Amino acid sequence: ITWTEHFLARYKTEFCNSTYENYKRNLQKWVNPVWKGKYLDEISSSDVHSIIFEHLTGVSSYTRKTFLKIIKRSFNMAIEEGVLQR
């Protein structure tokens, strides 16, 4: 299962539809083109840095912060579920 598939499947069942749709839209727009089919354990901190500071162009610092929050939530969720090890 890819990173975005795992994250979105969990969020679809736990959060309201508007949150799910917002996360899905942001991930499809910014993450999927860059990380494509990477698996959770293949994503490094430099990949996260790259997407936040190199690929999120033309957005405010607030948008960058919000997007980083989405990424952090997904990795914390994966750690809690035992998908990733810290």
XYZ file of all heavy atoms in Angstrom:
730
model
N 0.857 -1.184 0.000
C 0.000 0.000 0.000
C 0.902 1.245 0.000
O 1.895 1.288 0.714
C -0.960 -0.022 1.198
C -1.937 1.129 1.116
C -0.205 -0.007 2.515
C -3.102 1.008 2.072
N 0.554 2.203 -0.801
C 1.351 3.422 -0.852
C 1.006 4.341 0.308
O -0.002 4.171 0.990
C 1.136 4.182 -2.179
O -0.214 4.609 -2.250
C 1.510 3.338 -3.371
N 1.847 5.327 0.497
C 1.700 6.284 1.582
C 0.343 6.969 1.540
O -0.377 6.999 2.526
C 2.837 7.301 1.459
C 2.821 8.390 2.463
C 3.244 8.298 3.755
C 2.388 9.719 2.283
N 3.086 9.504 4.373
C 2.559 10.393 3.485
C 1.846 10.415 1.207
C 2.234 11.723 3.647
C 1.532 11.741 1.376
C 1.729 12.376 2.581
N -0.028 7.516 0.409
C -1.295 8.259 0.320
C -2.500 7.340 0.456
O -3.487 7.721 1.076
C -1.389 9.055 -0.995
O -1.163 8.189 -2.092
C -0.390 10.177 -1.037
N -2.431 6.134 -0.076
C -3.547 5.200 0.038
C -3.816 4.848 1.496
O -4.958 4.829 1.948
C -3.270 3.926 -0.759
C -3.287 4.113 -2.246
C -2.759 2.898 -2.982
O -2.135 2.007 -2.344
O -2.942 2.826 -4.195
N -2.765 4.555 2.220
C -2.897 4.181 3.630
C -3.494 5.330 4.444
O -4.431 5.151 5.212
C -1.524 3.796 4.194
C -1.564 3.457 5.639
N -2.023 2.248 6.098
C -1.234 4.177 6.731
C -1.961 2.233 7.410
N -1.488 3.396 7.815
N -2.938 6.493 4.266
C -3.367 7.666 5.016
C -4.826 8.017 4.729
O -5.624 8.215 5.643
C -2.442 8.830 4.659
C -2.778 10.113 5.347
C -2.640 10.245 6.713
C -3.212 11.213 4.624
C -2.927 11.431 7.355
C -3.500 12.409 5.250
C -3.353 12.512 6.624
N -5.183 8.086 3.466
C -6.545 8.474 3.094
C -7.581 7.433 3.502
O -8.691 7.785 3.893
C -6.631 8.762 1.600
C -5.935 10.040 1.151
C -5.926 10.144 -0.368
C -6.573 11.274 1.770
N -7.233 6.163 3.429
C -8.173 5.120 3.840
C -8.524 5.267 5.310
O -9.690 5.138 5.706
C -7.574 3.743 3.571
N -7.540 5.567 6.116
C -7.787 5.742 7.561
C -8.582 7.017 7.825
O -9.507 7.026 8.627
C -6.450 5.764 8.278
C -6.507 6.145 9.713
C -6.672 4.929 10.618
N -6.775 5.333 11.991
C -5.762 5.393 12.840
N -4.550 5.063 12.449
N -5.954 5.764 14.074
N -8.213 8.100 7.169
C -8.891 9.369 7.418
C -10.330 9.366 6.926
O -11.166 10.056 7.476
C -8.107 10.521 6.789
C -7.274 11.227 7.815
C -6.234 10.570 8.446
C -7.538 12.536 8.179
C -5.481 11.191 9.409
C -6.775 13.167 9.143
C -5.753 12.498 9.757
O -5.021 13.116 10.720
N -10.608 8.588 5.927
C -11.973 8.532 5.396
C -12.938 7.971 6.434
O -14.085 8.383 6.517
C -12.018 7.688 4.126
C -13.353 7.743 3.427
C -13.291 7.072 2.089
C -14.592 7.328 1.345
N -14.526 6.878 -0.028
N -12.466 7.057 7.261
C -13.328 6.441 8.260
C -13.374 7.212 9.575
O -14.320 7.049 10.340
C -12.859 5.001 8.557
O -11.525 5.032 9.061
C -12.932 4.147 7.311
N -12.370 8.046 9.849
C -12.284 8.679 11.161
C -12.690 10.150 11.207
O -13.003 10.658 12.270
C -10.861 8.555 11.705
C -10.508 7.148 12.081
C -9.203 7.068 12.817
O -8.702 8.105 13.266
O -8.688 5.960 12.949
N -12.645 10.844 10.096
C -12.892 12.278 10.118
C -14.042 12.645 9.190
O -14.450 11.860 8.341
C -11.624 13.040 9.726
C -10.549 12.915 10.758
C -9.620 11.903 10.682
C -10.480 13.795 11.821
C -8.628 11.770 11.645
C -9.506 13.668 12.785
C -8.582 12.650 12.695
N -14.518 13.867 9.351
C -15.643 14.302 8.524
C -15.220 14.376 7.055
O -14.043 14.479 6.728
C -16.199 15.621 9.013
S -15.104 17.017 8.837
N -16.191 14.324 6.197
C -15.944 14.249 4.767
C -15.166 15.449 4.237
O -14.326 15.301 3.353
C -17.265 14.098 4.016
C -17.060 13.662 2.601
O -16.267 12.764 2.342
N -17.765 14.287 1.681
N -15.408 16.645 4.769
C -14.708 17.831 4.274
C -13.212 17.755 4.573
O -12.390 18.163 3.747
C -15.305 19.102 4.868
O -15.184 19.108 6.271
N -12.839 17.236 5.747
C -11.423 17.062 6.085
C -10.786 16.053 5.142
O -9.701 16.284 4.606
C -11.267 16.601 7.544
O -11.872 17.563 8.396
C -9.804 16.429 7.918
N -11.472 14.951 4.946
C -10.971 13.923 4.031
C -10.765 14.484 2.629
O -9.716 14.281 2.013
C -11.941 12.738 4.004
C -11.673 11.787 2.877
C -10.608 10.899 2.940
C -12.465 11.792 1.732
C -10.351 10.029 1.887
C -12.218 10.931 0.687
C -11.162 10.048 0.768
O -10.894 9.197 -0.272
N -11.756 15.206 2.112
C -11.651 15.763 0.761
C -10.521 16.787 0.661
O -9.814 16.841 -0.347
C -12.981 16.394 0.339
C -14.082 15.397 0.083
C -13.771 14.428 -1.054
O -13.082 14.817 -2.011
O -14.247 13.275 -0.981
N -10.328 17.597 1.690
C -9.244 18.573 1.700
C -7.886 17.878 1.660
O -7.010 18.250 0.875
C -9.351 19.463 2.941
C -8.259 20.489 3.001
O -7.872 21.076 1.999
N -7.748 20.716 4.189
N -7.705 16.871 2.503
C -6.448 16.134 2.521
C -6.222 15.415 1.192
O -5.116 15.426 0.651
C -6.432 15.133 3.668
C -6.173 15.751 5.024
C -6.275 17.122 5.234
C -5.832 14.962 6.096
C -6.035 17.675 6.475
C -5.594 15.512 7.347
C -5.697 16.867 7.529
O -5.449 17.403 8.758
N -7.260 14.805 0.671
C -7.144 14.085 -0.595
C -6.728 15.033 -1.728
O -5.830 14.727 -2.511
C -8.479 13.424 -0.936
C -8.475 12.636 -2.210
C -9.839 11.997 -2.450
C -9.878 11.290 -3.775
N -11.221 10.728 -4.036
N -7.380 16.187 -1.792
C -7.071 17.172 -2.836
C -5.619 17.654 -2.727
O -4.894 17.703 -3.725
C -8.044 18.342 -2.724
C -7.912 19.372 -3.783
C -8.974 20.464 -3.711
N -9.219 21.000 -2.377
C -10.258 20.694 -1.593
N -11.159 19.836 -2.002
N -10.403 21.234 -0.410
N -5.176 17.968 -1.522
C -3.800 18.436 -1.333
C -2.784 17.358 -1.650
O -1.762 17.632 -2.284
C -3.600 18.945 0.102
C -4.115 20.341 0.281
O -3.799 21.227 -0.494
N -4.919 20.545 1.302
N -3.051 16.145 -1.215
C -2.116 15.056 -1.490
C -2.039 14.751 -2.983
O -0.957 14.516 -3.522
C -2.501 13.813 -0.698
C -2.339 13.935 0.820
C -2.916 12.717 1.510
C -0.885 14.131 1.191
N -3.174 14.763 -3.655
C -3.173 14.485 -5.087
C -2.478 15.593 -5.872
O -1.818 15.326 -6.866
C -4.590 14.288 -5.592
C -5.192 12.980 -5.159
C -6.639 12.823 -5.587
O -7.316 13.786 -5.917
N -7.116 11.592 -5.576
N -2.623 16.817 -5.414
C -2.025 17.936 -6.133
C -0.516 18.030 -5.911
O 0.241 18.273 -6.847
C -2.688 19.241 -5.693
C -2.156 20.460 -6.414
C -2.907 21.706 -6.023
C -2.372 22.911 -6.798
N -3.127 24.126 -6.469
N -0.067 17.821 -4.677
C 1.332 18.074 -4.351
C 2.167 16.820 -4.138
O 3.333 16.782 -4.526
C 1.430 18.955 -3.114
C 0.782 20.287 -3.296
C -0.400 20.707 -2.745
C 1.245 21.373 -4.106
N -0.685 21.979 -3.150
C 0.312 22.418 -3.983
C 2.365 21.562 -4.921
C 0.461 23.632 -4.649
C 2.502 22.769 -5.573
C 1.564 23.786 -5.436
N 1.625 15.789 -3.509
C 2.428 14.619 -3.150
C 2.514 13.606 -4.274
O 3.605 13.161 -4.635
C 1.875 13.952 -1.869
C 2.561 12.626 -1.604
C 2.063 14.880 -0.689
N 1.385 13.220 -4.821
C 1.389 12.157 -5.828
C 2.320 12.429 -7.012
O 3.036 11.523 -7.434
C -0.023 11.854 -6.299
C -0.841 11.154 -5.235
O -0.320 10.701 -4.228
N -2.135 11.081 -5.444
N 2.357 13.639 -7.554
C 3.275 13.865 -8.671
C 4.754 13.757 -8.282
O 5.584 13.395 -9.100
C 2.955 15.290 -9.125
C 1.611 15.594 -8.597
C 1.480 14.790 -7.341
N 5.069 14.045 -7.036
C 6.469 14.052 -6.595
C 6.889 12.691 -6.064
O 7.924 12.148 -6.459
C 6.694 15.139 -5.512
C 8.130 15.122 -5.021
C 6.339 16.508 -6.066
N 6.103 12.121 -5.166
C 6.471 10.849 -4.540
C 5.918 9.655 -5.286
O 6.284 8.514 -4.989
C 6.017 10.821 -3.091
C 6.790 11.754 -2.206
C 7.946 12.408 -2.529
C 6.471 12.158 -0.891
N 8.348 13.190 -1.484
C 7.465 13.059 -0.465
C 5.430 11.861 -0.033
C 7.453 13.644 0.790
C 5.419 12.434 1.218
C 6.419 13.311 1.626
N 5.020 9.890 -6.218
C 4.406 8.855 -7.060
C 4.020 7.638 -6.236
O 3.232 7.743 -5.333
C 5.326 8.509 -8.217
C 5.516 9.701 -9.119
C 6.356 9.383 -10.319
C 6.425 10.629 -11.159
N 7.678 11.088 -11.518
N 4.577 6.490 -6.502
C 4.184 5.257 -5.825
C 5.109 4.848 -4.708
O 5.212 3.664 -4.406
N 5.784 5.792 -4.067
C 6.700 5.448 -2.984
C 5.952 4.825 -1.818
O 4.835 5.201 -1.503
C 7.441 6.680 -2.478
C 8.591 7.103 -3.328
C 9.431 8.134 -2.616
C 10.667 8.430 -3.428
N 11.559 9.327 -2.719
N 6.620 3.887 -1.189
C 6.063 3.278 0.003
C 6.508 4.065 1.227
O 7.478 4.824 1.172
C 6.504 1.814 0.098
C 5.877 0.984 -0.992
C 6.525 0.794 -2.207
C 4.627 0.423 -0.809
C 5.929 0.048 -3.219
C 4.025 -0.328 -1.812
C 4.686 -0.508 -3.006
O 4.093 -1.232 -4.004
N 5.791 3.888 2.322
C 6.056 4.661 3.531
C 7.509 4.608 3.968
O 8.100 5.626 4.304
C 5.166 4.160 4.673
C 3.712 4.559 4.610
C 2.912 3.763 5.630
C 3.547 6.032 4.851
N 8.083 3.423 3.960
C 9.456 3.283 4.452
C 10.512 3.794 3.468
O 11.696 3.828 3.788
C 9.745 1.838 4.827
C 9.558 0.869 3.673
O 9.045 1.289 2.617
O 9.917 -0.306 3.837
N 10.112 4.223 2.297
C 11.044 4.765 1.306
C 11.146 6.287 1.361
O 11.975 6.871 0.682
C 10.611 4.357 -0.104
C 10.637 2.870 -0.357
C 10.055 2.514 -1.709
O 9.296 3.327 -2.277
O 10.367 1.426 -2.199
N 10.287 6.928 2.142
C 10.255 8.388 2.197
C 11.167 8.872 3.316
O 11.024 8.463 4.463
C 8.815 8.892 2.406
C 7.939 8.432 1.240
C 8.787 10.410 2.550
C 6.471 8.639 1.458
N 12.104 9.737 2.964
C 13.069 10.250 3.935
C 12.711 11.679 4.347
O 11.861 12.329 3.734
C 14.469 10.237 3.335
O 14.541 11.162 2.265
N 13.385 12.162 5.376
C 13.144 13.537 5.819
C 13.547 14.532 4.737
O 12.942 15.598 4.612
C 13.881 13.821 7.127
O 15.251 13.584 6.989
N 14.533 14.187 3.934
C 14.916 15.084 2.835
C 13.820 15.141 1.769
O 13.638 16.172 1.114
C 16.247 14.659 2.219
O 16.153 13.385 1.643
N 13.065 14.054 1.591
C 11.921 14.063 0.674
C 10.842 15.018 1.173
O 10.238 15.748 0.388
C 11.323 12.665 0.522
C 12.229 11.705 -0.221
O 12.996 12.164 -1.092
O 12.166 10.498 0.078
N 10.600 14.999 2.478
C 9.605 15.901 3.068
C 10.065 17.346 2.908
O 9.298 18.217 2.491
C 9.367 15.567 4.560
C 8.445 16.594 5.200
C 8.799 14.160 4.704
N 11.321 17.606 3.210
C 11.871 18.954 3.064
C 11.748 19.422 1.620
O 11.349 20.560 1.349
C 13.335 18.967 3.501
C 13.950 20.322 3.460
N 14.513 20.856 2.319
C 14.066 21.269 4.417
C 14.962 22.057 2.575
N 14.706 22.337 3.852
N 12.060 18.561 0.693
C 12.004 18.898 -0.722
C 10.596 19.288 -1.163
O 10.405 20.282 -1.871
C 12.501 17.712 -1.554
O 12.290 17.932 -2.918
N 9.616 18.511 -0.735
C 8.250 18.812 -1.171
C 7.751 20.113 -0.557
O 7.063 20.891 -1.205
C 7.296 17.631 -0.895
C 6.108 17.705 -1.845
C 6.821 17.596 0.536
C 5.297 16.448 -1.912
N 8.123 20.387 0.687
C 7.657 21.600 1.370
C 8.316 22.848 0.795
O 7.664 23.861 0.555
C 7.920 21.511 2.892
C 7.118 20.376 3.517
C 7.612 22.836 3.588
C 5.624 20.557 3.488
N 9.619 22.798 0.558
C 10.349 24.012 0.189
C 10.693 24.144 -1.292
O 11.041 25.221 -1.739
C 11.619 24.131 1.033
C 11.317 24.333 2.484
C 11.460 23.297 3.384
C 10.864 25.554 2.942
C 11.170 23.480 4.727
C 10.564 25.750 4.279
C 10.719 24.709 5.167
N 10.586 23.066 -2.049
C 10.922 23.149 -3.468
C 9.708 22.966 -4.388
O 9.650 23.564 -5.454
C 11.984 22.106 -3.812
C 13.322 22.365 -3.129
C 14.302 21.227 -3.317
O 14.118 20.416 -4.255
O 15.247 21.132 -2.510
N 8.777 22.133 -3.986
C 7.648 21.822 -4.871
C 6.378 22.613 -4.562
O 5.542 22.768 -5.434
C 7.352 20.319 -4.845
C 8.481 19.505 -5.390
N 8.766 19.423 -6.734
C 9.423 18.763 -4.763
C 9.820 18.651 -6.913
N 10.243 18.237 -5.737
N 6.230 23.076 -3.347
C 5.064 23.904 -3.003
C 5.381 25.340 -3.397
O 5.747 26.166 -2.577
C 4.762 23.833 -1.500
C 4.075 22.585 -0.991
C 3.982 22.602 0.523
C 2.695 22.456 -1.581
N 5.235 25.627 -4.662
C 5.563 26.962 -5.154
C 4.321 27.833 -5.242
O 3.225 27.351 -5.495
C 6.214 26.869 -6.550
O 5.322 26.182 -7.430
C 7.536 26.133 -6.475
N 4.530 29.094 -5.000
C 3.439 30.041 -5.127
C 2.377 29.928 -4.053
O 1.224 30.286 -4.282
N 2.743 29.418 -2.886
C 1.796 29.295 -1.779
C 2.310 30.083 -0.580
O 3.497 30.390 -0.479
C 1.556 27.819 -1.377
C 0.963 27.031 -2.529
C 2.829 27.175 -0.888
N 1.422 30.392 0.324
C 1.793 31.157 1.515
C 2.502 30.265 2.533
O 2.462 29.036 2.445
C 0.544 31.758 2.159
O -0.273 30.728 2.674
N 3.119 30.908 3.503
C 3.777 30.151 4.577
C 2.732 29.384 5.386
O 3.013 28.305 5.910
C 4.584 31.082 5.474
O 3.754 32.049 6.066
N 1.532 29.935 5.484
C 0.447 29.238 6.182
C 0.104 27.930 5.471
O -0.102 26.898 6.112
C -0.797 30.142 6.259
C -1.964 29.468 6.912
C -2.040 29.356 8.295
C -2.994 28.929 6.142
C -3.119 28.722 8.900
C -4.068 28.300 6.738
C -4.124 28.199 8.115
O -5.188 27.561 8.702
N 0.062 27.952 4.145
C -0.233 26.743 3.374
C 0.869 25.710 3.557
O 0.601 24.521 3.707
C -0.408 27.086 1.881
O -1.475 28.015 1.757
C -0.706 25.853 1.051
N 2.121 26.155 3.569
C 3.240 25.231 3.806
C 3.118 24.579 5.181
O 3.329 23.383 5.334
C 4.572 25.958 3.709
C 4.957 26.367 2.326
C 6.307 27.084 2.356
N 6.498 27.886 1.190
C 6.996 27.448 0.051
N 7.357 26.205 -0.058
N 7.138 28.261 -0.976
N 2.784 25.391 6.171
C 2.643 24.884 7.530
C 1.502 23.876 7.613
O 1.628 22.825 8.239
C 2.394 26.049 8.487
C 2.317 25.656 9.933
C 2.131 26.883 10.802
C 1.983 26.510 12.258
N 1.781 27.671 13.108
N 0.393 24.176 6.981
C -0.748 23.271 6.965
C -0.397 21.957 6.273
O -0.747 20.877 6.744
C -1.952 23.929 6.262
O -2.297 25.126 6.961
C -3.144 23.003 6.203
N 0.309 22.055 5.167
C 0.690 20.850 4.438
C 1.661 20.005 5.256
O 1.558 18.779 5.281
C 1.294 21.216 3.081
C 1.401 20.047 2.175
C 0.273 19.540 1.550
C 2.603 19.425 1.970
C 0.360 18.429 0.731
C 2.700 18.327 1.143
C 1.571 17.821 0.528
N 2.594 20.648 5.948
C 3.527 19.919 6.811
C 2.756 19.203 7.918
O 3.092 18.080 8.286
C 4.564 20.871 7.393
C 5.628 20.234 8.283
C 6.409 19.173 7.528
C 6.570 21.308 8.817
N 1.710 19.824 8.429
C 0.873 19.211 9.459
C 0.224 17.930 8.918
O 0.174 16.916 9.614
C -0.199 20.199 9.915
C -1.131 19.669 10.968
C -2.095 20.733 11.438
C -3.124 21.006 10.371
N -4.209 21.895 10.814
N -0.243 17.957 7.678
C -0.847 16.769 7.063
C 0.190 15.647 6.970
O -0.090 14.488 7.294
C -1.414 17.097 5.670
C -2.589 18.060 5.783
C -1.831 15.830 4.935
C -3.057 18.623 4.447
N 1.374 15.983 6.534
C 2.432 14.978 6.392
C 2.812 14.406 7.752
O 2.944 13.185 7.912
C 3.653 15.578 5.667
C 3.292 15.882 4.211
C 4.842 14.619 5.738
C 4.366 16.608 3.447
N 2.972 15.271 8.747
C 3.316 14.793 10.088
C 2.245 13.870 10.642
O 2.551 12.845 11.252
C 3.520 15.973 11.041
C 4.826 16.693 10.862
C 4.941 17.811 11.876
C 6.261 18.514 11.790
N 6.378 19.590 12.797
N 0.983 14.237 10.455
C -0.114 13.393 10.935
C -0.062 12.010 10.313
O -0.283 11.005 10.977
C -1.461 14.029 10.617
C -1.869 15.069 11.578
C -3.287 15.519 11.313
N -3.657 16.518 12.286
C -4.677 17.336 12.168
N -5.453 17.250 11.113
N -4.942 18.213 13.095
N 0.222 11.977 9.043
C 0.230 10.685 8.364
C 1.367 9.798 8.868
O 1.175 8.599 9.078
C 0.318 10.869 6.859
O 1.554 11.416 6.504
N 2.537 10.376 9.082
C 3.653 9.574 9.571
C 3.447 9.156 11.022
O 3.777 8.029 11.400
C 4.975 10.313 9.391
C 5.498 10.210 7.990
C 5.400 11.272 7.125
C 6.073 9.042 7.528
C 5.863 11.189 5.824
C 6.541 8.939 6.230
C 6.434 10.015 5.377
N 2.911 10.028 11.840
C 2.615 9.657 13.225
C 1.589 8.539 13.283
O 1.699 7.623 14.105
C 2.133 10.871 14.026
C 3.256 11.799 14.371
O 4.403 11.404 14.493
N 2.934 13.069 14.537
N 0.597 8.602 12.409
C -0.404 7.555 12.346
C 0.248 6.223 11.956
O -0.049 5.185 12.540
C -1.484 7.915 11.333
C -2.570 6.881 11.194
S -3.772 7.309 9.932
C -2.752 7.286 8.466
N 1.142 6.258 10.992
C 1.827 5.035 10.555
C 2.689 4.460 11.676
O 2.760 3.235 11.843
C 2.674 5.330 9.324
N 3.321 5.307 12.459
C 4.125 4.840 13.592
C 3.226 4.210 14.647
O 3.530 3.140 15.178
C 4.960 6.002 14.171
C 6.058 6.398 13.186
C 5.559 5.623 15.525
C 6.761 7.695 13.509
N 2.104 4.848 14.959
C 1.172 4.333 15.950
C 0.619 2.973 15.548
O 0.393 2.113 16.397
C 0.006 5.295 16.161
C 0.388 6.566 16.875
C -0.737 7.592 16.878
O -1.857 7.284 16.399
O -0.493 8.714 17.343
N 0.417 2.773 14.265
C -0.135 1.503 13.776
C 0.929 0.432 13.589
O 0.606 -0.700 13.239
C -0.864 1.731 12.455
C -2.113 2.550 12.587
C -2.827 2.740 11.279
O -2.336 2.246 10.235
O -3.883 3.381 11.285
N 2.183 0.785 13.751
C 3.257 -0.182 13.592
C 3.691 -0.384 12.154
O 4.447 -1.306 11.851
N 3.202 0.474 11.256
C 3.587 0.380 9.841
C 5.037 0.849 9.684
O 5.794 0.309 8.895
C 2.637 1.206 8.956
C 3.091 1.209 7.514
C 1.222 0.669 9.071
N 5.396 1.867 10.445
C 6.759 2.402 10.449
C 7.323 2.327 11.854
O 6.582 2.371 12.835
C 6.779 3.880 10.023
C 6.553 4.209 8.576
C 6.545 5.711 8.398
C 7.621 3.602 7.694
N 8.639 2.279 11.942
C 9.317 2.371 13.228
C 10.010 3.699 13.303
O 10.558 4.184 12.316
C 10.318 1.241 13.390
C 9.653 -0.106 13.486
C 10.660 -1.204 13.700
O 11.849 -0.960 13.792
N 10.175 -2.425 13.798
N 9.983 4.287 14.477
C 10.589 5.604 14.671
C 12.078 5.558 14.499
O 12.808 4.742 14.644
C 10.238 6.131 16.052
C 10.522 7.591 16.209
C 9.939 8.086 17.498
N 8.550 8.404 17.349
C 8.104 9.648 17.157
N 8.936 10.635 17.105
N 6.833 9.883 17.037
